[in-house]
Amino acid sequence: MSDLWEGLVQAFWLVVTLDSDLVEITLRSLRVTLTALLVASVIALPLAALLAVRRFRLRRATIAVLNALMGLPPVVVGLVVYVMLSRAGPFGVLGLLFTPTAMIIAQVIIIVPLVASIAHQSLRDLWSDYHDLLISLNASQFQRICTLLWDGRRALLTAALAGFGRAIGEVGAIMIVGGNIDHATRVLTTAIALETGKGDFAVALGLGFVLIALAVAVNLTIHWLGKTESEGRW
């Protein structure tokens, strides 16, 4: 019990004093995850809106595939990306393996189905309310998509939050394609796994505190941006 308490105290001290390694790993995690989230949102949100407003032959199949890919094992994604970016793979000449870019690619593949599925569910309900109005105004498909994305922005923030939570806590795929290289590709989750294996629980707990704090901070920011509390939506 004393060892646990001592580890907690040391972890708290590392966070309070802004340990240089802790700050470096945290900033790298944020850079990789936020970049992946931005790219994934650019892909997933318009796709979700398109699936809501347009009817085509493979629409139901596309929605079913997106829902199924929400449960895609991250280690499988990491393996596929590793093979594609390895020297023997089709994109090996780019030299992206074991770089932050490879980690971003893996995270984008993981969170696009999640963000798209959650966003589509919200935009589908919104489209049922806006359908008659936009049709009567003879709005183009692009205008319909833009309208849904703008008026459904609060729900889309929730979808983005879910994507951020999935990406920031990912370890399997990131470990495979990033290699957990010190001062290069080491992020919060892989560093926690490494320090736990080494028995350095103080550093692992410190990194864990930061990871939890980031999740809480993003959650509160989304609620603030959506103004859910001020409008009695809680």
Side-chain angles (χ1 to χ4, degrees), residues 3 26 76 144 168 177 179 202 218-219 230:
D3 292 338
T26 301
V76 175
R144 298 172 192 177
I168 195 69
V177 302
V218 171
N219 201 342
S230 62

Side-chain angles (χ1 to χ4, degrees), residues 18 32 36-37 50-51 58-59 61 72 75 95 110 112 115 130 139 144 148 153 164 168-169 183 189 195-196 212 229:
L18 298 178
V32 169
L37 180 61
L50 179 64
L51 291 174
L58 297 179
R59 174 177 173 272
L72 187 65
V75 290
I110 291 171
V112 160
V115 175
Y130 281 40
R144 298 172 192 177
L148 288 184
R153 58 191 180 277
F164 179 87
I168 195 69
H183 303 298
T189 50
E195 298 300 335
T196 301
I212 294 173
E229 185 178 11

Side-chain angles (χ1 to χ4, degrees), residues 78-233:
L79 177 60
V80 172
V81 175
Y82 180 92
V83 172
M84 298 295 287
L85 298 181
S86 65
R87 291 187 177 181
F91 303 105
V93 294
L94 300 177
L96 296 178
L97 193 61
F98 302 137
T99 65
T101 302
M103 299 160 64
I104 292 171
I105 293 172
Q107 286 191 347
V108 168
I109 296 174
I110 291 171
I111 65 177
V112 160
L114 177 65
V115 175
S117 296
I118 296 176
H120 172 257
Q121 293 174 10
S122 301
L123 295 178
R124 180 183 57 190
D125 296 335
L126 187 61
W127 173 242
S128 64
D129 297 332
Y130 281 40
H131 177 272
D132 294 339
L133 175 61
L134 293 177
I135 293 297
S136 64
L137 293 175
N138 197 27
S140 66
Q141 182 173 281
F142 178 76
Q143 291 173 326
R144 298 172 192 177
I145 291 175
C146 290
T147 301
L148 288 184
L149 291 177
W150 176 252
D151 287 356
R153 58 191 180 277
R154 292 178 179 174
L156 300 183
L157 285 174
T158 302
L161 173 62
F164 179 87
R166 177 74 182 273
I168 195 69
E170 174 51 38
V171 59
I174 297 302
M175 186 78 77
I176 293 174
V177 302
N180 198 20
I181 303 172
D182 194 17
H183 303 298
T185 60
R186 184 164 298 167
V187 293
L188 286 170
T189 50
T190 58
I192 291 173
L194 176 65
E195 298 300 335
T196 301
K198 291 165 54 178
D200 195 345
F201 297 110
V203 176
L205 287 171
L207 294 166
F209 290 158
V210 173
L211 190 59
I212 294 173
L214 287 176
V216 173
V218 171
N219 201 342
L220 293 177
T221 301
I222 294 298
H223 281 300
W224 177 75
L225 290 175
K227 299 180 181 178
T228 53
E229 185 178 11
S230 62
E231 298 188 8
R233 293 177 177 267

